[in-house]
Amino acid sequence: MTSSELWDHDTAERYDAEEAELSSAAFLRPTLDFLAELAGDGRALEFAIGTGRVGVPLRERGVPVTGIELSAHMAAVLRRKADEDTLPVVMGDMATTTAPGRFTLVYLVYNTISNLLTQDEQVECFHNAARHLEPGGRFVIELLVPPLRFLPPGQVAVPFDVSDGHLGFDTFDVVEQMLVSHHLTRDGDDGRYRRGNSRHRYAWPAELDLMARIAGLTLERRVADWDGAPFTQDSAKHVSVWRKPA
């Protein structure tokens, strides 16, 4: 069983509403442009496709998309947007589950590789991507750079959102390379807040490059965002592309 925490029914039902801004056409346009260009005339496979925030509009762009998804509840929400013939989904974890056929693009967005809580499983995720790729195909990951520069000695928590409707902060175990993302979300108009958290294993870009090399992939490109801004020491996240030899 994968170490990823399983998203339940209530979380899946709330997901699209809570991520509405990240699902808008304007926000997704650079992401879809980036992925569609890499897919070319081939097929794309999304690991941890979730409710189809990226996969459904990419399919609408004309790219044949298949998904792998661990949570049946998340997949059920996706099914309201696209049927199995339009966008096939294989149930299982992204480290070991296989989808039929080969793909010119495998992609994993929105920090989701960090849902795999061990280094071994993250390495297996790269192996799984390589197994699915055609020669010359690409594996793309979008991932935050661990914000450890914000941690002074003795501090273990970093806030990432302080707004009227939401308080979010991460706590870090720098020995085990783990973080817990904590959320207090306003739930209704009566002043109540809903508390939630999720565990993640963070990884540095150089560590991912080594995982890629173990899986037989080579770094082709690393940028700071889907618009292609240069990746620098101050970048908060990266979009990385590894290529399978032709």
Side-chain angles (χ1 to χ4, degrees):
M1 181 63 182
T2 178
S3 61
S4 294
E5 296 175 341
L6 191 63
W7 290 46
D8 61 19
H9 175 270
D10 291 344
T11 303
E13 291 297 318
R14 291 192 301 262
Y15 184 83
D16 283 351
E18 293 183 346
E19 303 295 344
E21 182 179 350
L22 303 186
S23 302
S24 69
F27 182 90
L28 284 176
R29 188 174 298 111
T31 306
L32 301 178
D33 289 345
F34 194 106
L35 296 174
E37 181 179 358
L38 289 179
D41 296 328
R43 303 166 64 221
L45 174 64
E46 180 172 354
F47 284 172
I49 194 169
T51 66
R53 181 182 69 91
V54 174
V56 169
L58 186 61
R59 179 65 185 88
E60 292 170 351
R61 284 278 193 102
V63 178
V65 176
T66 297
I68 290 176
E69 175 54 42
L70 180 63
S71 169
H73 302 294
M74 296 288 278
V77 176
L78 184 154
R79 276 290 159 258
R80 301 170 195 165
K81 309 170 186 178
D83 61 25
E84 179 69 17
D85 291 336
T86 302
L87 203 165
V89 175
V90 180
M91 301 306 300
D93 70 90
M94 56 185 152
T96 62
T97 301
T98 57
R102 290 293 177 265
F103 302 83
T104 59
L105 173 67
V106 178
Y107 66 95
L108 184 53
V109 299
Y110 204 22
N111 309 312
T112 311
I113 194 171
S114 69
N115 291 358
L116 296 170
L117 300 180
T118 69
Q119 186 183 68
D120 285 344
E121 281 191 312
Q122 291 179 352
V123 170
E124 284 306 307
C125 184
F126 274 83
H127 277 299
N128 201 26
R131 282 193 292 270
H132 284 93
L133 285 172
E134 295 180 354
R138 276 92 168 188
F139 182 35
V140 177
I141 286 180
E142 175 191 22
L143 186 61
L144 290 175
V145 176
L148 299 190
R149 294 170 68 185
F150 293 106
L151 283 178
Q155 181 174 314
V156 297
V158 173
F160 59 84
D161 183 31
V162 180
S163 59
D164 290 341
H166 179 255
L167 170 63
F169 62 95
D170 293 328
T171 53
F172 292 84
D173 180 339
V174 297
V175 174
E176 298 296 331
Q177 221 166 294
M178 298 287 293
L179 71 84
V180 180
S181 186
H182 304 265
H183 302 268
L184 290 170
T185 306
R186 188 185 295 276
D187 200 2
D189 298 324
D190 56 4
R192 292 182 302 168
Y193 279 78
R194 171 171 34 86
R195 181 176 180 177
N197 61 70
S198 58
R199 295 183 300 154
H200 305 269
R201 182 186 187 273
Y202 63 83
W204 300 95
E207 185 181 4
L208 298 181
D209 290 343
L210 182 56
M211 294 180 189
R213 286 178 59 191
I214 292 171
L217 306 176
T218 303
L219 180 67
E220 181 177 74
R221 184 184 182 195
R222 173 167 291 127
V223 291
D225 55 35
W226 296 107
D227 288 309
F231 180 76
T232 72
Q233 65 178 4
D234 296 319
S235 298
K237 75 171 186 178
H238 62 97
V239 177
S240 297
V241 182
W242 297 273
R243 188 171 185 268
K244 184 174 182 176

